């Protein structure tokens, strides 16, 4: 596969745009977009601030995962610690460190970028960055007070191989977890291994930030 197999930014003319719904964290935008044949079509999509996920890997090759209820899909899903980029331009590494502390009362001594992806590019502009966190330890201080869905979370450390098996068996469905565990499995099987991953402060064009 050549070096030309790379996603490229592009923007088509938006003739008109409106926001028929605006929620607490996300919104729905309706754009009139000019197509290559000069026709104009409507495209509705979720406007999202972006998210971070943390694949926290311990010395025994176990991954820290959380089980959380997700109302839209009516499932309890095993997930990686994750959260929204609440502040425009927020450093995603800082957000990831915050989420690992708040959801699992854990800190990590080593961070790298594992993968970047768009969750549903046909219907949302949400971009996600997954970090690999290693050298884990319990965080200092008082545990963060959780609420709403997070108040009912389960926390576990599961061998990476078991998670890969669960993904391939169709038993695990959260996109951050699916992407993260398969990306890590591929990384560990590659020649460069973890050392070849991008640094934690690697540029992220989908959500530019100040280091």
């Amino acid at each position: 596969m050549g070096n030309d197999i790379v996603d490229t930014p592009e923007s088509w003319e938006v003739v008109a745009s409106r926001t028929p719904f605006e929620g607490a964290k996300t919104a729905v935008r309706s754009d009139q977009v000019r197509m290559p044949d000069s026709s104009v079509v409507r495209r509705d999509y979720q406007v999202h601030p972006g998210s971070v996920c943390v694949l926290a890997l311990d010395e025994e090759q176990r991954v820290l995962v959380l089980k959380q209820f997700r109302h839209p899909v009516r499932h309890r899903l095993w997930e990686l610690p994750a959260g929204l980029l609440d502040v425009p331009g927020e450093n995603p590494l800082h957000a990831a460190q915050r989420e690992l502390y708040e959801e699992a009362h854990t800190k990590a001594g080593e961070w790298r970028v594992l993968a970047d992806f768009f969750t549903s590019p046909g219907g949302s502009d949400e971009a996600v960055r997954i970090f690999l966190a290693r050298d884990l330890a319990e965080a200092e201080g008082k545990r963060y007070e959780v609420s709403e869905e997070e108040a009912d979370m389960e926390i576990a450390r599961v061998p990476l191989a078991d998670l890969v098996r669960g993904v391939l068996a169709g038993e695990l469905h959260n996109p951050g977890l699916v992407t993260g565990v398969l990306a890590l499995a591929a990384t560990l099987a590659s020649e460069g291994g973890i050392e070849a991953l991008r640094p934690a402060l690697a540029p992220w064009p989908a959500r530019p930030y100040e280091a």
Side-chain angles (χ1 to χ4, degrees), residues 4-211:
D4 57 336
I5 308 300
V6 177
D7 294 339
T8 54
E10 186 170 333
S11 184
W12 293 356
E13 180 188 1
V14 177
V15 177
S17 182
R18 64 189 185 92
T19 305
F21 171 79
E22 191 158 353
K25 298 291 185 181
T26 66
V28 172
R29 184 168 295 157
S30 184
D31 290 345
Q32 298 290 332
V33 184
R34 192 176 303 282
M35 298 288 108
D37 64 359
S38 296
S39 64
V40 175
V41 301
R42 181 174 131 186
R43 292 289 178 262
D44 303 321
Y45 58 99
Q46 180 193 38
V47 179
H48 194 286
S51 306
V52 291
C53 294
V54 183
L55 196 159
L57 185 70
D58 68 15
E59 297 85 352
E60 300 175 44
Q61 295 293 90
R62 298 178 304 172
V63 178
L64 193 158
V65 290
L66 315 166
K67 196 172 191 181
Q68 185 170 346
F69 175 67
R70 293 300 186 182
H71 175 73
V73 295
R74 308 302 200 273
H75 271 72
R76 281 184 182 272
L77 300 178
W78 284 106
E79 306 179 350
L80 304 178
L84 299 176
L85 293 168
D86 293 313
V87 181
E90 181 178 17
N91 185 315
L93 174 60
H94 298 166
Q97 291 168 333
R98 179 185 70 237
E99 294 301 330
L100 185 61
Y101 162 71
E102 291 182 356
E103 294 192 345
H105 199 64
T106 299
K107 64 180 182 178
E110 181 186 332
W111 292 81
R112 290 180 181 269
V113 174
L114 183 57
D116 299 327
F117 69 101
F118 295 115
T119 56
S120 183
S124 174
D125 70 353
E126 181 182 8
V128 177
R129 168 158 281 189
I130 305 178
F131 289 92
L132 173 64
R134 297 193 298 166
D135 187 17
L136 306 182
E138 184 174 356
E140 296 92 355
K142 186 179 178 181
R143 284 186 173 272
Y144 182 78
E145 293 291 333
V146 296
S147 61
E148 300 174 357
E149 289 93 342
E150 293 182 356
D152 196 34
M153 285 194 308
E154 298 177 47
I155 299 179
R157 293 195 181 196
V158 181
L160 174 64
D162 290 353
L163 295 175
V164 171
R165 182 203 60 77
V167 169
L168 298 180
E171 299 168 353
L172 300 170
H173 306 88
N174 176 271
L177 184 143
V178 169
T179 303
V181 301
L182 296 184
L184 180 57
T187 297
L188 294 173
S190 68
E191 184 177 345
I194 288 174
E195 298 306 313
L197 291 173
R198 288 170 291 163
L201 294 176
W204 190 14
R207 292 294 184 272
Y209 64 94
E210 295 183 10

